[in-house]
Amino acid sequence: MADTFRVGLILTERCNIECAHCWLESGPQRRSSMDPEDARGYIDQALEIPTLDWVSFTGGEPFLMPETLASLVSYASGSGLRTECVTNCFWAETEAKAGEKLGTLVDAGLDVINISSDDFHQRHIPFERVKNAYEAAKKLGLKIVIMTASAASSELRIREIARRLGEKDIHIVGDGEPRTNLSALAVETGFIPVGRGGQLPEEEWLVDHGPVKGPCRDVLRDVGISPTGRVLPCCSAAGHLQQASLGNAKEERLSALIERAEENAVYRTLSTVGPFELAERTGFQKRQGYINRCHLCYEILRSA
């Protein structure tokens, strides 16, 4: 079996904001949400995978379902899994309020808070709320990950975010080896021109911002489950293509779906040598300039 280490549960496709780059096209008008009992069942299925340690609760915006979120964090943590939650921090109006919200989740067993912060999000949400959530998370002892999606014209790039947070102990992934006793890990990617992001002009693409060649380390390892139970081979844009679906976890066990996908030549190629080599083997006509492997992978799988 693939060394699947995490399953991401998309608790809801609803979000309180509509970011211009969102490939899932989340927003206030989206209503699809995961039934809590289904979510518990998926956690039970995840426990059948011996290499799996993590459950990530994402969206959309999972903090729009606070009681469900806390209950599921408690259920997963009580089952021996480590837990992560992804958020845009709209709820962190003050540091005190942020502490209350996060304190409930810490009591439930939350390990990591994954904060989305960039120009796209901060067009809707004041940066102060990101800082409030960050400060509260530090005081509670949560591990913090900061995720930034950038465009060519973005001003709020990852180093600027670290500067505004007033922290020298934020490690930006890609800047050498991380030190000990860090406050947070920070990751910057170029936005993928998919969904609403596909409407942004090409001159905004950060071409070659990430590697295009080499194997994918996420496919069948960091899988996702949609509100309808559809199992995604990864948690990037390519995984949401209908033709990339591994099946449905309401109809077949997650472990069986992953095992079958391992025998699929496409996923095997992506995992061992990556989308660039897959393009070479299939005769896919590559264009000049991709943002990263995920961008190229999406274009190949879409064409298939």
Side-chain angles (χ1 to χ4, degrees), residues 88 116-127 130 156:
N88 61 31
S116 300
S117 178
D118 44 53
D119 280 15
F120 296 114
H121 287 87
Q122 267 50 82
R123 288 191 182 101
H124 307 277
I125 296 169
F127 186 81
V130 171
L156 197 57

Side-chain angles (χ1 to χ4, degrees), residues 109 126 145 195 199 204 283:
V145 176
Q199 301 174 30
E204 288 287 0

Side-chain angles (χ1 to χ4, degrees), residues 67 82 114 118 138 151 216 299:
E67 293 83 10
R82 303 180 74 183
N114 189 317
D118 44 53
K138 278 202 306 177
C216 174
E299 294 297 334

Side-chain angles (χ1 to χ4, degrees), residues 46-68:
L47 291 167
E48 298 170 0
I49 301 173
T51 57
L52 194 141
D53 293 320
W54 286 89
V55 172
S56 179
F57 300 101
T58 184
E61 175 50 58
F63 272 78
L64 294 173
M65 305 168 63
E67 293 83 10
T68 297

Side-chain angles (χ1 to χ4, degrees), residues 3-21:
D3 293 332
T4 306
F5 69 91
R6 178 168 58 188
V7 59
L9 301 185
I10 303 172
L11 293 188
T12 182
E13 293 178 352
R14 185 163 62 98
C15 190
N16 57 304
I17 59 176
E18 288 184 315
C19 291
H21 74 304

Side-chain angles (χ1 to χ4, degrees), residues 163-182:
R163 186 192 71 79
R164 291 192 188 186
L165 290 174
E167 283 289 341
K168 295 181 180 178
D169 292 329
I170 297 175
H171 175 69
I172 298 172
V173 173
D175 283 3
E177 291 297 318
R179 303 183 306 278
T180 58
N181 300 319
L182 293 168

Side-chain angles (χ1 to χ4, degrees), residues 65-209:
M65 305 168 63
E67 293 83 10
T68 297
L69 177 60
S71 174
L72 292 174
V73 167
S74 178
Y75 187 79
S77 179
S79 300
L81 295 172
R82 303 180 74 183
T83 57
E84 173 194 53
C85 180
V86 181
T87 183
N88 61 31
C89 301
F90 79 93
W91 41 269
E93 296 164 326
T94 65
E95 188 178 326
K97 287 186 177 180
E100 291 176 11
K101 293 277 190 183
L102 290 177
T104 298
L105 293 174
V106 169
D107 290 343
L110 186 68
D111 293 290
V112 174
I113 185 74
N114 189 317
I115 294 172
S116 300
S117 178
D118 44 53
D119 280 15
F120 296 114
H121 287 87
Q122 267 50 82
R123 288 191 182 101
H124 307 277
I125 296 169
F127 186 81
E128 288 75 13
R129 300 197 182 189
V130 171
K131 187 170 178 63
N132 290 338
Y134 176 76
E135 294 295 339
K138 278 202 306 177
K139 290 177 180 177
L140 288 164
L142 276 170
K143 294 180 180 178
I144 306 166
V145 176
I146 301 166
M147 295 294 298
T148 297
S150 295
S153 65
S154 291
E155 297 180 4
L156 197 57
R157 299 288 294 268
I158 198 68
R159 286 177 178 78
E160 175 62 13
I161 291 170
R163 186 192 71 79
R164 291 192 188 186
L165 290 174
E167 283 289 341
K168 295 181 180 178
D169 292 329
I170 297 175
H171 175 69
I172 298 172
V173 173
D175 283 3
E177 291 297 318
R179 303 183 306 278
T180 58
N181 300 319
L182 293 168
S183 299
L185 290 177
V187 181
E188 181 180 65
T189 62
F191 80 93
I192 306 298
V194 175
R196 279 197 294 270
Q199 301 174 30
L200 295 171
E202 191 168 335
E203 53 264 30
E204 288 287 0
W205 295 9
L206 286 179
V207 173
D208 296 328
H209 185 263

